[in-house]
Amino acid sequence: MRTLSLRVLVTTVAAALLTGVAATPAHAAALPPYDTWIADVEAVTDQAAAYLDARLPASGVRAAVVLDIDNTALQSRYRPYDATPSVLALARQARADGAAVFFVTARPEIIEAATEINLRVVGYRWTDIYTRPTFDFSDNQTLKTKARTDIERRGYTIVANVGNSATDLGGGHAERTFKLPDYGGQLD
């Protein structure tokens, strides 16, 4: 058990270094306090939850909800590796109403296993996760649009796409998008 814990710790630290969760530009304005961020996120996820209440269950449709990971599903900047409570609640709501949950992230596939462990430990359950393939140098929006296109190709209708960056949401392939705060790009 000790070896597994050490392996998870090392993998988690490597994931933080590769995703840059600890990096903040020196010229960036200060981020708002944690409670403000949580309130701002809840304002958006409350809208998404109301939409899902009306949209799901979706008869005759294989519904899916797509979530970004960093500073969306996980509190990468404020409380690294913790779930964002209202996003976790939204994912649980979607699954309870019959929708598949997909994660679409620009995190490299080399840390996919560590990412999956982190997501599982904090309570997420999902159908599939899309990470950045090795040697794929496409911009984030192209990468994420390709992933959503693949989800649709698999027979799903993406009823909601939730992320904190324009690149999480741009490119179409979702009935509705819900943008969480990024405070001028500080939360990538």
Side-chain angles (χ1 to χ4, degrees):
M1 184 67 167
R2 181 180 159 137
T3 304
L4 177 61
S5 297
L6 182 58
R7 193 173 310 143
V8 169
L9 176 64
V10 168
T11 306
T12 303
V13 170
L17 293 172
L18 286 170
T19 59
V21 295
T24 302
H27 66 281
L31 285 171
Y34 176 78
D35 291 339
T36 300
W37 177 68
I38 287 293
D40 291 347
V41 168
E42 287 174 352
V44 177
T45 55
D46 286 351
Q47 293 172 21
Y51 168 72
L52 291 181
D53 277 341
R55 182 67 176 93
L56 299 174
S59 62
V61 172
R62 287 179 70 197
V65 172
V66 171
L67 302 174
D68 174 48
I69 294 179
D70 290 304
N71 300 302
T72 300
L74 298 176
Q75 304 179 49
S76 303
R77 182 71 69 190
Y78 284 95
R79 294 186 179 166
Y81 316 112
D82 283 352
T84 305
S86 62
V87 176
L88 177 58
L90 190 68
R92 288 177 171 164
Q93 174 189 351
R95 286 182 53 84
D97 287 341
V101 173
F102 289 87
F103 288 104
V104 174
T105 180
R107 285 181 173 204
E109 70 182 349
I110 194 169
I111 63 167
E112 186 172 324
T115 298
E116 288 179 354
I117 290 168
N118 187 174
L119 291 167
R120 194 169 292 113
V121 165
V122 298
Y124 284 101
R125 300 295 175 256
W126 61 92
T127 300
D128 206 349
I129 183 169
Y130 287 78
T131 55
R132 180 180 295 281
T134 304
F135 304 116
D136 181 335
F137 302 108
S138 357
D139 63 84
N140 288 349
Q141 183 172 321
T142 299
L143 177 82
K144 292 180 178 197
T145 301
K146 283 182 192 176
R148 290 192 306 275
T149 301
D150 187 66
I151 292 167
E152 289 178 334
R153 183 192 57 72
R154 293 168 62 180
Y156 291 94
T157 298
I158 300 170
V159 297
N161 182 14
V162 182
N164 72 317
S165 171
T167 62
D168 298 334
L169 309 173
H173 302 280
E175 288 181 357
R176 290 276 307 269
T177 60
F178 296 91
K179 185 173 180 312
L180 304 181
D182 70 351
Y183 307 112
Q186 291 186 82
L187 298 178
D188 51 359

Short mmCIF file of all heavy atoms in Angstrom, two decimals, residues 21 29 35 41 50 54-55 103 120 124 132 136 138 158 169 181 187:
data_model
loop_
_atom_site.label_atom_id
_atom_site.label_comp_id
_atom_site.label_asym_id
_atom_site.label_seq_id
_atom_site.Cartn_x
_atom_site.Cartn_y
_atom_site.Cartn_z
N VAL A 21 -0.23 23.73 -13.12
CA VAL A 21 -1.22 24.25 -12.19
C VAL A 21 -0.63 25.22 -11.16
O VAL A 21 -1.35 26.00 -10.57
CB VAL A 21 -1.99 23.12 -11.45
CG1 VAL A 21 -2.81 22.32 -12.41
CG2 VAL A 21 -1.07 22.26 -10.64
N ALA A 29 -3.11 40.04 -12.75
CA ALA A 29 -3.85 40.63 -11.63
C ALA A 29 -4.14 39.52 -10.63
O ALA A 29 -4.19 38.35 -10.97
CB ALA A 29 -5.15 41.25 -12.15
N ASP A 35 -13.72 32.02 -2.05
CA ASP A 35 -15.18 32.08 -1.90
C ASP A 35 -15.84 32.81 -3.06
O ASP A 35 -16.95 32.44 -3.47
CB ASP A 35 -15.56 32.73 -0.58
CG ASP A 35 -15.20 31.87 0.63
OD1 ASP A 35 -15.03 30.65 0.45
OD2 ASP A 35 -15.08 32.43 1.74
N VAL A 41 -18.58 30.32 -9.90
CA VAL A 41 -18.78 29.02 -10.54
C VAL A 41 -20.21 28.54 -10.30
O VAL A 41 -20.88 28.07 -11.22
CB VAL A 41 -17.74 27.99 -10.03
CG1 VAL A 41 -18.11 26.57 -10.46
CG2 VAL A 41 -16.35 28.35 -10.51
N ALA A 50 -30.26 23.83 -14.02
CA ALA A 50 -31.64 24.11 -14.42
C ALA A 50 -31.89 23.66 -15.86
O ALA A 50 -32.94 23.08 -16.18
CB ALA A 50 -31.95 25.60 -14.26
N ALA A 54 -34.48 20.49 -17.28
CA ALA A 54 -35.47 20.59 -18.36
C ALA A 54 -35.12 19.67 -19.53
O ALA A 54 -36.02 19.17 -20.21
CB ALA A 54 -35.57 22.03 -18.84
N ARG A 55 -33.85 19.41 -19.77
CA ARG A 55 -33.40 18.68 -20.96
C ARG A 55 -33.33 17.17 -20.75
O ARG A 55 -33.51 16.39 -21.67
CB ARG A 55 -32.02 19.21 -21.38
CG ARG A 55 -31.44 18.58 -22.63
CD ARG A 55 -32.27 18.94 -23.84
NE ARG A 55 -31.69 18.43 -25.07
CZ ARG A 55 -32.01 17.26 -25.64
NH1 ARG A 55 -32.89 16.47 -25.07
NH2 ARG A 55 -31.45 16.90 -26.78
N PHE A 103 -14.96 13.64 -20.09
CA PHE A 103 -13.97 14.68 -19.82
C PHE A 103 -13.19 14.91 -21.09
O PHE A 103 -12.74 13.95 -21.73
CB PHE A 103 -13.02 14.27 -18.69
CG PHE A 103 -13.67 14.27 -17.35
CD1 PHE A 103 -14.03 13.09 -16.73
CD2 PHE A 103 -13.95 15.47 -16.71
CE1 PHE A 103 -14.64 13.09 -15.49
CE2 PHE A 103 -14.56 15.48 -15.46
CZ PHE A 103 -14.91 14.28 -14.85
N ARG A 120 -11.44 9.96 -9.88
CA ARG A 120 -12.18 8.90 -9.18
C ARG A 120 -12.16 9.13 -7.67
O ARG A 120 -13.20 9.00 -7.01
CB ARG A 120 -11.57 7.54 -9.54
CG ARG A 120 -12.44 6.36 -9.16
CD ARG A 120 -11.96 5.05 -9.75
NE ARG A 120 -12.11 5.05 -11.20
CZ ARG A 120 -11.10 5.04 -12.07
NH1 ARG A 120 -9.85 5.02 -11.65
NH2 ARG A 120 -11.31 5.05 -13.37
N TYR A 124 -15.84 11.60 -9.05
CA TYR A 124 -16.38 11.62 -10.42
C TYR A 124 -16.51 10.19 -10.95
O TYR A 124 -15.69 9.33 -10.67
CB TYR A 124 -15.48 12.42 -11.36
CG TYR A 124 -15.62 13.91 -11.19
CD1 TYR A 124 -14.68 14.64 -10.47
CD2 TYR A 124 -16.70 14.60 -11.75
CE1 TYR A 124 -14.80 16.01 -10.31
CE2 TYR A 124 -16.83 15.97 -11.60
CZ TYR A 124 -15.88 16.67 -10.87
OH TYR A 124 -16.01 18.02 -10.71
N ARG A 132 -4.76 14.82 -24.47
CA ARG A 132 -3.94 15.17 -25.64
C ARG A 132 -3.02 14.00 -25.99
O ARG A 132 -2.17 13.62 -25.20
CB ARG A 132 -3.10 16.40 -25.36
CG ARG A 132 -2.21 16.81 -26.55
CD ARG A 132 -1.37 18.04 -26.27
NE ARG A 132 -2.17 19.22 -26.05
CZ ARG A 132 -2.73 19.96 -27.02
NH1 ARG A 132 -2.56 19.61 -28.29
NH2 ARG A 132 -3.44 21.02 -26.72
N ASP A 136 0.65 15.30 -30.52
CA ASP A 136 -0.44 16.09 -31.10
C ASP A 136 -0.21 17.53 -30.65
O ASP A 136 -0.34 17.84 -29.47
CB ASP A 136 -1.80 15.59 -30.61
CG ASP A 136 -2.96 16.38 -31.22
OD1 ASP A 136 -2.78 17.55 -31.62
OD2 ASP A 136 -4.07 15.82 -31.28
N SER A 138 -1.85 20.21 -31.93
CA SER A 138 -2.93 21.12 -32.31
C SER A 138 -3.23 22.08 -31.17
O SER A 138 -2.97 21.78 -30.01
CB SER A 138 -4.22 20.38 -32.64
OG SER A 138 -4.17 19.04 -32.59
N ILE A 158 -24.38 15.84 -27.49
CA ILE A 158 -23.81 16.60 -26.38
C ILE A 158 -24.81 17.70 -26.04
O ILE A 158 -24.98 18.66 -26.78
CB ILE A 158 -22.43 17.17 -26.74
CG1 ILE A 158 -21.47 16.03 -27.09
CG2 ILE A 158 -21.88 18.03 -25.59
CD1 ILE A 158 -20.15 16.47 -27.69
N LEU A 169 -14.93 25.56 -25.18
CA LEU A 169 -16.31 25.64 -25.66
C LEU A 169 -16.44 25.95 -27.13
O LEU A 169 -17.48 25.67 -27.73
CB LEU A 169 -17.05 26.71 -24.85
CG LEU A 169 -16.93 26.58 -23.32
CD1 LEU A 169 -17.56 27.78 -22.63
CD2 LEU A 169 -17.53 25.28 -22.83
N PRO A 181 -15.87 31.11 -14.85
CA PRO A 181 -14.95 32.25 -14.87
C PRO A 181 -13.50 31.81 -15.08
O PRO A 181 -13.08 30.76 -14.59
CB PRO A 181 -15.14 32.88 -13.50
CG PRO A 181 -15.66 31.79 -12.63
CD PRO A 181 -16.48 30.91 -13.53
N LEU A 187 -7.11 31.48 -15.17
CA LEU A 187 -7.43 30.08 -14.85
C LEU A 187 -7.54 29.33 -16.17
O LEU A 187 -8.54 29.40 -16.85
CB LEU A 187 -8.76 29.99 -14.08
CG LEU A 187 -8.80 30.69 -12.74
CD1 LEU A 187 -10.18 30.57 -12.12
CD2 LEU A 187 -7.75 30.13 -11.81
#
